[in-house]
Amino acid sequence: MHFDSLAELWQMGVHGPWVWSAYGICVALIALNVVWAVHRGRRVRRDIRGLIRRQSLQEKQ
Amino acid sequence: MSSDAVSRAGLPAHFFAVSLSAGLLALMTWFIWSAPPVARTVWLAGGWTFGVLFYYGALRYPHWYWQTLERWYHQLGSPPHFYRIAGLWLPWLVIIATVLCVVGVVWGLAFAPPHHEQGNSYRIIYLHVPASSAALMAYVAMGVAGLVALVWRLKMAEIAIKAIAPFGAIMAAVSLISGAIWGRPTWGTYWIWDARLTSMLILLFMYLGVIALQNAIRDPRQAGQAASLLSVVGVINVVIVRYSVDWWQSLHQGSSMSMFGTAGSAIHPSMLAPLLLCMFGTYFLFAVTVLVRARTEILWRERKSAWVREEVA
């Protein structure tokens, strides 16, 4: 590792706040993108299951 | 190319194919000759191996090549096939994207040497450059899909645009935010109305425009056509972003990486290696989120068909 300790890695000389805030915000955004895509997939599957259920109920009546 | 016609003209049947491939390979050799020795060797060996194998295969089994190409086009253009193939690929793409991104970021943050002027603040590059390049690449992909959707009215191309736009918007935002935070310690400001920064902001608005257009029009086919048009027209902005640092006076530095540049990359291999890992990781992440979103969109559009009902049940 280039740094001698984890504390030095955290401080990054004087640039710790810039580097870690950039990584924090942006990694959160990228993770949000993935979670959002997967979540929408689940919701659409649930909605289609709901459609099928409603349709089969109507057919029975 | 019919081999009969060529042999009647007195030339060996594969004369044109051989000269064309040899010409392309020679051109490639000439382009990368000035690259650093390691990169040059990898490109050359890879290029020649691929070229020779492809050429040999195309000569021996022309029908197989043509049929495979045709099958790919039909399978990728058909929603149920695309859904199935994407489902097979996704787990592998997730693994590759995760490994590349994690190794690249840890390497870049903790193991790469510091920059001689910027110190450790340059480590934002491992976030900024992959995100910017993915945002630009995604728009070009959207433009190509838009062209296919406008010319051939392929439904999968419209779905692709809808799947790409959110990823591109997020990456453009990541590029702008990480760039702003990097700018403060390096340039002394978060933001200036500079050609590179402004054109990148416009790219974000183009992505948001494509998303808004798709949500504003109720009929999915009409929405798809409108979004395709905006995707194709917007590619001009990608060119502007790419060359803004050369065309106008800019605070933003020019590109430090080059695949075929005269001097090769202006960045030391110890810093370049993690950057390349992060970039490839981001491209795989692009594939992952686009395939996930495309699968969702396919399910919703085909919700009345029997195969979807079996799939979700």
Side-chain angles (χ1 to χ4, degrees), chain A residues 1-3 9 12-13 15 18-23 26 29-30 33 36-37 41 44-45 48-49 51 55, chain B residues 83 109-111 114 118 120-121 123 126-127 167 174 177 181 184-185 190 285 289 293 296 299 303 309 312:
Chain A
M1 194 161 84
H2 168 72
F3 300 95
L9 174 69
M12 293 231 161
H15 291 122
W18 308 112
V19 174
W20 290 112
S21 65
Y23 273 86
C26 295
L29 267 180
I30 294 168
N33 170 44
W36 177 23
V44 161
R45 281 162 181 270
I48 297 176
R49 273 198 292 272
L51 278 178
Q55 223 171 31
Chain B
Y83 184 90
L109 276 176
F111 294 91
Q118 298 182 20
N120 287 310
S121 70
R123 292 180 197 277
Y126 299 110
L127 194 60
F167 172 86
V174 166
I177 293 170
I181 297 175
R184 188 68 184 83
Y190 287 108
L285 190 70
T289 52
R293 286 207 168 90
T296 307
L299 280 186
R303 60 188 178 278
R309 311 214 143 197
V312 298

Side-chain angles (χ1 to χ4, degrees), chain B residues 26-50:
Chain B
L27 199 69
M28 205 177 82
T29 313
W30 182 73
F31 258 119
I32 62 176
W33 197 248
S34 50
V38 178
R40 187 169 62 208
T41 315
V42 169
W43 271 99
L44 277 181
W48 279 95
T49 312
F50 181 79

